[in-house]
Amino acid sequence: MNFTARLNRIKESLTIGMAKKARELKAEGKDVISLSLGEPDFDTPQHVKDAAIRAIDAGKTKYTPVGGIPELKSAICNKFLRDYNMEVAPSNVMVSTGAKQCIMNAILSIVDHNQEVIIPLPYWVSYSEMVNFAGGKCVFIPSKFEDGFAIDLEALERSISDKTRVILFSSPCNPSGSSLSHDQLQQIANIVKKHPHVTVISDEIYEHINFEGEHTSISQFDGIKDQLIIVNGVSKGFAMTGWRIGYMVGPKSIIAACDKLQGQFTSGANSIAQWAAAEAINGDMKPTQHMVDTFRGRRDLIVELLSEIPGIETDTPKGAFYLFPKVSALYGKEFGGRTINDSLDFCDYILNTALVSLVPGVAFGMDEHVRISYASSEEELREAMARIKAALT
Ligand code: PMP
Ligand code: GLU
């Protein structure tokens, strides 16, 4: 079968690919510890499940408006007022099947062939593939582990050309767990203001998984509202990955464009899940707080355990539930009769020898690193780190 050029431009997601490999090995009876998929290991809070059950019982089981049910849009508007003191109208809001679809909608709507999307490294695996699918060009900005993966603002400004349509990043960041400071976001806003043809897509899906102080949203800065799309969702902060609800807030014209696109592709997101998401966004934050406190404890544990493994260097990330350690000191070395030359080799060796699945850093644009998701129990993390240590010493 000949597939389209557009399909051939993209690769399979390595986060999903590594999780699939781990599942296959488990199905063969192997005792694999999966630290590859970015998914909270907590259950969805009971009050959110109850809202979904109420929605089913009330017959909320029909097609929904393409851009989302009014009750969820209104919960999102209230959230923006409550958390960022920002007035947002329902016509600025669009609900989709996960934040993933929001980002894809936005890119397909505003990025044309050969137009450029600036993406600071390291970046979430799907960004580059979405841009490739749309026919756009990624312009990557390098960052350094030693600088806490901070965005090089001079390089960012230098990269803006008349072909630039979008600057795309996540904060807290998947895969590095780093968060942009108030000052850095202010500087990004100042740069963007000078280039009215550029739109920022700020992916804030890890907003709540923040270990040091409050999340700062770029929406809090003045003068760039017309150039801003904020993407968020309930997958991470409310342990709702399978419910598939994400949303974006942005200029009315972009929301209308995404509405047109989604209306032809998938229609409104799942009706029952939208009622559940409204409850999550409006409701009690205690379950989220508990989850974040637990993640903080696991982060500290895994940073400590990892620091005992020679050749692996890690920082202490401020958010999300990932570590993105540098492992390149081990490249060129031989383990169990094979030489590890890159992050793919490293993850393959660790998966086959230690039965621990990780994601190669190359998926996120930085081959010197690997990503470890610590959304697993302390017991599993201890066992996984012990196995990795044994495989590397
Ligand atoms: N953005 C980032 C940075 C992510 O890590 C994820 C996780 N899948 C998503 C977007 C998409 O989230 P979802 O589609 O589950 O809402
Ligand atoms: N965002 C998660 C991850 O990075 C889920 C998998 C995916 O959608 O890529 O692992």
Side-chain angles (χ1 to χ4, degrees):
M1 175 62 114
N2 287 328
F3 291 105
T4 59
R6 102 174 62 83
L7 185 81
N8 290 334
R9 279 198 295 270
I10 67 171
K11 300 186 282 287
E12 184 195 17
S13 163
L14 262 178
T15 49
I16 290 176
M18 287 304 285
K20 194 162 96 190
K21 263 195 201 164
R23 269 190 217 118
E24 283 165 4
L25 287 173
K26 270 189 200 167
E28 285 171 19
K30 302 225 166 82
D31 173 24
V32 174
I33 302 178
S34 179
L35 306 183
S36 42
L37 197 61
E39 154 163 274
D41 55 324
F42 289 81
D43 198 2
T44 302
Q46 190 58 46
H47 67 103
V48 174
K49 290 186 188 172
D50 290 343
I53 293 165
R54 280 197 303 277
I56 295 175
D57 287 342
K60 309 280 189 200
T61 54
K62 302 286 197 280
Y63 284 132
T64 56
V66 172
I69 58 171
E71 292 77 3
L72 176 53
K73 283 192 167 197
S74 144
I76 295 163
C77 295
N78 290 343
K79 173 203 160 45
F80 269 68
L81 196 59
R82 178 190 73 201
D83 296 348
Y84 314 139
N85 199 23
M86 181 180 171
E87 294 229 21
V88 165
S91 51
N92 294 111
V93 180
M94 165 105 195
V95 175
S96 302
T97 301
K100 212 172 214 173
Q101 190 183 18
C102 300
I103 304 167
M104 190 76 233
N105 278 344
I107 288 175
L108 283 174
S109 300
I110 61 181
V111 179
D112 233 327
H113 274 269
N114 295 324
Q115 291 185 325
E116 293 172 0
V117 176
I118 298 177
I119 304 178
L121 299 184
Y123 60 88
W124 180 46
V125 56
S126 295
Y127 293 165
S128 53
E129 302 314 291
M130 289 176 178
V131 173
N132 291 338
F133 188 75
K137 292 212 162 96
C138 298
V139 176
F140 296 112
I141 304 184
S143 75
K144 286 201 195 107
F145 166 70
E146 293 73 18
D147 299 338
F149 303 103
I151 296 182
D152 179 341
L153 296 168
E154 277 174 26
L156 176 74
E157 187 150 26
R158 268 200 316 275
S159 304
I160 297 177
S161 74
D162 52 5
K163 287 198 183 146
T164 308
R165 288 293 278 153
V166 169
I167 300 173
L168 171 57
F169 55 83
S170 60
S171 176
C173 171
N174 177 3
S176 71
S178 60
S179 287
L180 291 168
S181 67
H182 188 278
D183 185 48
Q184 282 168 324
L185 286 167
Q186 175 73 71
Q187 292 188 54
I188 294 173
N190 292 345
I191 293 170
V192 170
K193 234 185 272 181
K194 289 191 260 170
H195 303 277
H197 66 294
V198 173
T199 297
V200 171
I201 302 180
S202 173
D203 180 348
E204 303 184 10
I205 188 116
Y206 294 97
E207 164 189 24
H208 293 299
I209 307 173
N210 207 323
F211 307 124
E212 288 169 32
E214 292 286 295
H215 169 71
T216 309
S217 171
I218 194 165
S219 59
Q220 282 159 274
F221 300 98
D222 290 331
I224 53 160
K225 302 268 186 301
D226 293 341
Q227 292 173 261
L228 209 52
I229 295 173
I230 308 292
V231 172
N232 207 327
V234 292
S235 285
K236 315 289 171 170
F238 302 94
M240 292 176 70
T241 46
W243 298 74
R244 308 306 304 126
I245 297 293
Y247 61 86
M248 67 188 230
V249 169
K252 285 181 189 160
S253 59
I254 297 182
I255 297 297
C258 292
D259 196 280
K260 180 169 88 172
L261 188 68
Q262 186 167 303
Q264 292 292 17
F265 282 178
T266 58
S267 301
N270 177 296
S271 59
I272 298 151
Q274 289 193 61
W275 285 95
E279 172 64 27
I281 292 169
N282 271 336
D284 185 5
M285 291 300 289
K286 274 198 219 82
T288 299
Q289 207 43 61
H290 168 68
M291 193 166 71
V292 174
D293 289 342
T294 311
F295 283 142
R296 186 188 290 106
R298 290 177 187 173
R299 175 199 64 174
D300 294 343
L301 172 73
I302 192 169
V303 164
E304 190 189 314
L305 295 174
L306 214 57
S307 67
E308 291 164 11
I309 306 178
I312 301 191
E313 265 185 282
T314 185
D315 61 349
T316 304
K318 294 189 182 129
F321 35 68
Y322 306 109
L323 291 191
F324 197 53
K326 191 167 179 175
V327 298
S328 52
L330 299 169
Y331 295 174
K333 298 210 157 90
E334 212 182 277
F335 296 95
R338 62 178 283 188
T339 308
I340 291 179
N341 287 316
D342 55 27
S343 62
L344 281 163
D345 282 350
F346 184 95
C347 290
D348 196 53
Y349 171 69
I350 293 298
L351 180 60
N352 290 310
T353 312
L355 295 178
V356 176
S357 75
L358 310 173
V359 186
V362 69
F364 310 97
M366 290 179 82
D367 194 34
E368 302 82 16
H369 295 254
V370 295
R371 191 188 77 173
I372 305 178
S373 162
Y374 54 86
S376 290
S377 69
E378 285 201 4
E379 195 188 341
E380 276 187 316
L381 294 176
R382 282 185 196 282
E383 172 65 19
M385 293 308 113
R387 288 189 198 175
I388 294 177
K389 190 174 179 181
L392 294 173
T393 43

